[in-house]
C-alpha cells in the first residue's frame, strides 16, 4: 500500500512490497516488553484477516489460541501463546511473500517472519537458549569433526541403528525417526581443489566466470552437488572456482543469533570481494544460502558496500543456468532423463521471488517430463529433526509428499537438500503398492546426468 500523499492508501498488495532493515544493533530490538507489544499488534491484524491459515502450523496455533480465549480477541492471549506460535515458525517467509496483503508499504507494516526473528533474538539476549539447536547450528565445526570419521558417524546416526538413535534422542532430543544427513570423508572443497578447464567449445567460453559458493551442506553432506555444478558450468565454457569461506549463518538466524550472522556476512562478503572485482558471478548451491546472501544480509548491513555488491552478484545455480541459456545458449548434448522429474519448489527458493528456476532449467532437457510441487516440505533446518518439532514437520510436509507421490516421477528434486531428504522419507508412506519411491537429487545433478557428466 502506498502512502505517497496522492489520496487515501489502497487496500492490499497493490504496490511492490519491501522489507525494513533489521535493527539488530538497536537496544530496543531486544526489549522483550516491546517485542510482545508488537506481537500483539501484528497478531491482531492476522486475526482479522486469516489468509495465512494453511501455510504452516504457526497461524492455526495463533487463531486457535485467540478463538479459545476469554474474549475471542488478541487482547486475551499473552506470552505463553506467543511462544507456542514462535515454536512452529521455520522462517520460511511464505506468509510475507505469498499471502499477506499488509506488508510494507502498507501502514499496517506486517512482517511476521522478521518479528519472530526479533522475538528469538530478544529471548536469546535474555538468556533463553536452545543448547542443542545452537550446537547443531555450528555446521562448520560439526562437518570438520565428522569428515575424518564419516563412516563411523554415518553408522552411529543411521535411522536403522535403533539403540544409538534412541540414546541420541534421549541425550540430544533429536527424533529417532528422522533420516539424518550423511557426512563424507572427502568434502566438496577436497574434491575441487583445482578448477576444471573450461570447455573451449562451450558457448560461454571467454565470457563467464563463476565463483561457486559451496555452502556448508554441500561441502560436508552433498559434495556431488558441487561436482555436478562445476562440471555443468565448465561444460558451458565458464571459468569456475569453488569458494567456501564459511557457513552463511542460516542455522544461527534460526536461533536468533543475529549478530553472529552479520559478522559472517561481513567475512564472506570480504572473501568474495576480489572475485566480484575480477568479474566473477557468485552462484549459490542451496536456496537458503542464496536467500541469505541476496536478501537477509543486506537488511542486516545496509551500509556495507561489500555485502551489497555480493547481494547483486549472487544467483541461485538453477537461476544462473537459465540466465546463461538466455545470454549465450547452452552447450548441445542434453539427453532425456527416463521416468521424469518432480521438482519441489522450496520455500527459500520461492522467497527469492525469482520463479521456479529449477523447473525452468530442467525443462531445457528434451523429452523429459518435469512436474512442479509448490507446497512447504515442513522441514525448516533443525525444526525438522528435533523431537519437539519433528511431528509438526511431518504434519506440514505430508500434503507435499502426497502431491509428489501423485506425480509418479522416478526422480525427486528440490532447491533445498533438507526438504528433499524430508519429503523422500515421507514418501515411503505415501507411494502406492507397486510404486517405488523416487530417487533424490539436486536439480543441477540431473542436468549433469542429462549431459552424461555424472
Amino acid at each position: 500500500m502506498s502512502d505517497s500523499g496522492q489520496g487515501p492508501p489502497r487496500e492490499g498488495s497493490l504496490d511492490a512490497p519491501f522489507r525494513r532493515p533489521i535493527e539488530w544493533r538497536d537496544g530496543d530490538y531486544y526489549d522483550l516488553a516491546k517485542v510482545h507489544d508488537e506481537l500483539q499488534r501484528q497478531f491482531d491484524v492476522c486475526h482479522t484477516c486469516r489468509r495465512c491459515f494453511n501455510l504452516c502450523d504457526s497461524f492455526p496455533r495463533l487463531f486457535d489460541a485467540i478463538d479459545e480465549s476469554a474474549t475471542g480477541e488478541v487482547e486475551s492471549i499473552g506470552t505463553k501463546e506467543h511462544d507456542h506460535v514462535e515454536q512452529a515458525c521455520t522462517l520460511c517467509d511464505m506468509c510475507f511473500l505469498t499471502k499477506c496483503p499488509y506488508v510494507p508499504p502498507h501502514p499496517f507494516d506486517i512482517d511476521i517472519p522478521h518479528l519472530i526473528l526479533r522475538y528469538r533474538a530478544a529471548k536469546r539476549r535474555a538468556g533463553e537458549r536452545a543448547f542443542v539447536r545452537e550446537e547443531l547450528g555450528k555446521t562448520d565445526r560439526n562437518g570438520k569433526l565428522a569428515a575424518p570419521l564419516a563412516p563411523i558417524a554415518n553408522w552411529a546416526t543411521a535411522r536403522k541403528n535403533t539403540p544409538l538413535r534412541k540414546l541420541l534422542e534421549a541425550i540430544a532430543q533429536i527424533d529417532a525417526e528422522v533420516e539424518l544427513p550423511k557426512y563424507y570423508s572427502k568434502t566438496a572443497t577436497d574434491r575441487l581443489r583445482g578448477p576444471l578447464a573450461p570447455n573451449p567449445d562451450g558457448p560461454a567460453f571467454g565470457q563467464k566466470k563463476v565463483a561457486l559458493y559451496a555452502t556448508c551442506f554441500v561441502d560436508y553432506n552433498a559434495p556431488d552437488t558441487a561436482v555436478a555444478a562445476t562440471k555443468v558450468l565448465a561444460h558451458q565454457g565458464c571459468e569456475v572456482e569453488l569458494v567456501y569461506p564459511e557457513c552463511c549463518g542460516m542455522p544461527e538466524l534460526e536461533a536468533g543469533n543475529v549478530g553472529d550472522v552479520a559478522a559472517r556476512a561481513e567475512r564472506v562478503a570480504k572473501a568474495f570481494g576480489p572475485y566480484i572485482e575480477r568479474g566473477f558471478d557468485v552462484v549459490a548451491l542451496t536456496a537458503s544460502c542464496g536467500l541469505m546472501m541476496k536478501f537477509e544480509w543486506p537488511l542486516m548491513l545496509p551500509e556495507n558496500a561489500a555485502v551489497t555488491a555480493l547481494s547483486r552478484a549472487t544467483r541461485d545455480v538453477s537461476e544462473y543456468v537459465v540466465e546463461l541459456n538466455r545470454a549465450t545458449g547452452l552447450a548441445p548434448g542434453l539427453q532425456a532423463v527416463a521416468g521424469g522429474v518432480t521438482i519441489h519448489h522450496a520455500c527459500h527458493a520461492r522467497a527469492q521471488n525469482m520463479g521456479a528456476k529449477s523447473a525452468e532449467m530442467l525443462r531445457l532437457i528434451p523429452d523429459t517430463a518435469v512436474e512442479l510441487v509448490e507446497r512447504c516440505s515442513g522441514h525448516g533446518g533443525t525444526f525438522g529433526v528435533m523431537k519437539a518439532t519433528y511431528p509438526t514437520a511431518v504434519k506440514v510436509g505430508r500434503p507435499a509428499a502426497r502431491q509428489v507421490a501423485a506425480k509418479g516421477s522416478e526422480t525427486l528434486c528440490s532447491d533445498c537438500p533438507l526438504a528433499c531428504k524430508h519429503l523422500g522419507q515421507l514418501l515411503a508412506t505415501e507411494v502406492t503398492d507397486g510404486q517405488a519411491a523416487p530417487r533424490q537429487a539436486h536439480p543441477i545433478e540431473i542436468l549433469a546426468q542429462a549431459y552424461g557428466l555424472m
Side-chain angles (χ1 to χ4, degrees):
M1 178 161 184
S2 174
D3 192 18
S4 62
Q6 300 177 359
R10 301 195 302 275
E11 184 72 14
S13 299
L14 301 178
D15 293 293
F18 68 88
R19 294 190 112 159
R20 302 192 183 281
I22 299 171
E23 302 290 349
W24 61 277
R25 287 170 285 201
D26 187 336
D28 280 353
Y29 186 80
Y30 304 94
D31 188 318
L32 270 171
K34 292 180 178 179
V35 176
H36 283 299
D37 287 345
E38 182 62 9
L39 284 163
Q40 290 290 93
R41 184 192 74 80
Q42 294 200 31
F43 284 171
D44 193 40
V45 176
C46 297
H47 164 50
T48 61
C49 174
R50 302 201 176 197
R51 284 182 62 179
C52 48
F53 73 95
N54 63 344
L55 282 179
C56 66
D57 213 45
S58 286
F59 293 104
R61 290 184 183 195
L62 171 63
F63 302 144
D64 286 348
I66 294 169
D67 293 342
E68 295 166 6
S69 70
T71 64
E73 297 293 338
V74 169
E75 65 189 26
S76 296
I77 69 171
T79 57
K80 181 179 178 181
E81 289 79 14
H82 293 175
D83 282 343
H84 196 48
V85 172
E86 175 268 317
Q87 288 160 8
C89 179
T90 63
L91 302 182
C92 75
D93 284 339
M94 288 299 97
C95 56
F96 180 91
L97 184 72
T98 69
K99 290 289 187 180
C100 185
Y102 302 122
V103 299
H106 195 288
F108 284 173
D109 202 16
I110 302 300
D111 188 342
I112 296 298
H114 277 185
L115 181 56
I116 294 294
L117 171 62
R118 181 185 174 190
Y119 187 31
R120 290 178 180 173
K123 291 199 293 183
R124 190 177 189 281
R125 176 71 64 90
E128 184 178 330
R129 301 187 181 187
F131 175 77
V132 173
R133 183 166 75 174
E134 296 213 5
E135 293 305 305
L136 288 175
K138 296 175 180 177
T139 53
D140 286 324
R141 180 204 63 185
N142 297 341
K144 289 173 182 175
L145 289 174
L149 304 170
I152 297 173
N154 295 334
W155 169 80
T157 59
R159 184 164 162 246
K160 63 183 179 182
N161 194 339
T162 304
L164 286 180
R165 284 300 301 271
K166 287 293 184 182
L167 180 63
L168 184 63
E169 182 179 271
I171 296 172
Q173 293 299 297
I174 295 172
D175 199 292
E177 294 302 312
V178 179
E179 293 281 1
L180 294 174
K182 291 181 171 57
Y183 286 98
Y184 289 80
S185 298
K186 291 190 69 174
T187 66
T189 305
D190 293 330
R191 298 186 188 189
L192 296 165
R193 291 200 178 278
L196 289 182
N199 175 16
D201 296 323
F205 184 73
Q207 301 179 57
K208 295 291 184 178
K209 297 186 288 187
V210 177
L212 204 62
Y213 180 51
T215 78
C216 63
F217 190 91
V218 169
D219 197 37
Y220 302 117
N221 305 110
D224 284 348
T225 301
V227 173
T230 302
K231 288 185 175 182
V232 166
L233 294 175
H235 189 61
Q236 309 312 315
C238 299
E239 180 183 339
V240 187
E241 186 168 341
L242 190 74
V243 183
Y244 183 54
E246 61 182 290
C247 170
C248 73
M250 174 59 83
E252 299 293 343
L253 192 76
E254 278 187 348
N257 193 358
V258 188
D260 177 90
V261 177
R264 290 172 183 270
E266 290 182 315
R267 294 192 297 267
V268 174
K270 183 177 180 180
F272 275 103
Y275 290 94
I276 296 170
E277 290 173 3
R278 288 158 47 204
F280 277 72
D281 301 313
V282 179
V283 173
L285 290 174
T286 60
S288 297
C289 306
L291 179 66
M292 293 289 282
M293 297 163 78
K294 290 181 183 180
F295 297 105
E296 299 289 5
W297 287 358
L299 292 173
M300 296 175 191
L301 298 165
E303 76 292 345
N304 189 303
V307 168
T308 300
L310 178 58
S311 170
R312 291 172 178 167
T314 298
R315 299 291 184 273
D316 172 85
V317 63
S318 299
E319 177 187 21
Y320 191 75
V321 172
V322 169
E323 290 183 2
L324 201 61
N325 179 56
R326 292 173 182 167
T328 67
L330 296 186
L334 287 167
Q335 300 295 318
V337 175
V341 182
T342 292
I343 292 283
H344 167 253
H345 196 190
C347 295
H348 283 167
R350 296 176 68 188
Q352 294 181 47
N353 207 22
M354 62 184 175
K357 293 302 178 186
S358 290
E360 192 174 343
M361 178 184 75
L362 292 186
R363 284 175 181 145
L364 298 172
I365 303 172
D367 303 318
T368 300
V370 178
E371 304 284 352
L372 184 65
V373 169
E374 290 190 282
R375 186 151 185 168
C376 183
S377 72
H379 194 281
T382 55
F383 186 88
V385 302
M386 302 307 295
K387 185 173 178 60
T389 50
Y390 178 65
T392 304
V394 170
K395 172 185 172 183
V396 174
R398 187 164 283 130
R402 288 172 180 160
Q403 289 184 21
V404 172
K407 302 295 185 184
S409 302
E410 290 186 11
T411 301
L412 167 64
C413 292
S414 178
D415 311 280
C416 172
L418 288 172
C420 195
K421 175 189 68 64
H422 183 60
L423 288 173
Q425 183 175 346
L426 293 178
L427 278 167
T429 62
E430 299 300 334
V431 294
T432 58
D433 291 341
Q435 179 184 359
R439 65 171 177 141
Q440 302 163 36
H442 190 285
I444 198 67
E445 295 175 32
I446 300 305
L447 194 68
Q449 175 194 334
Y451 269 121
L453 300 172
M454 296 287 283

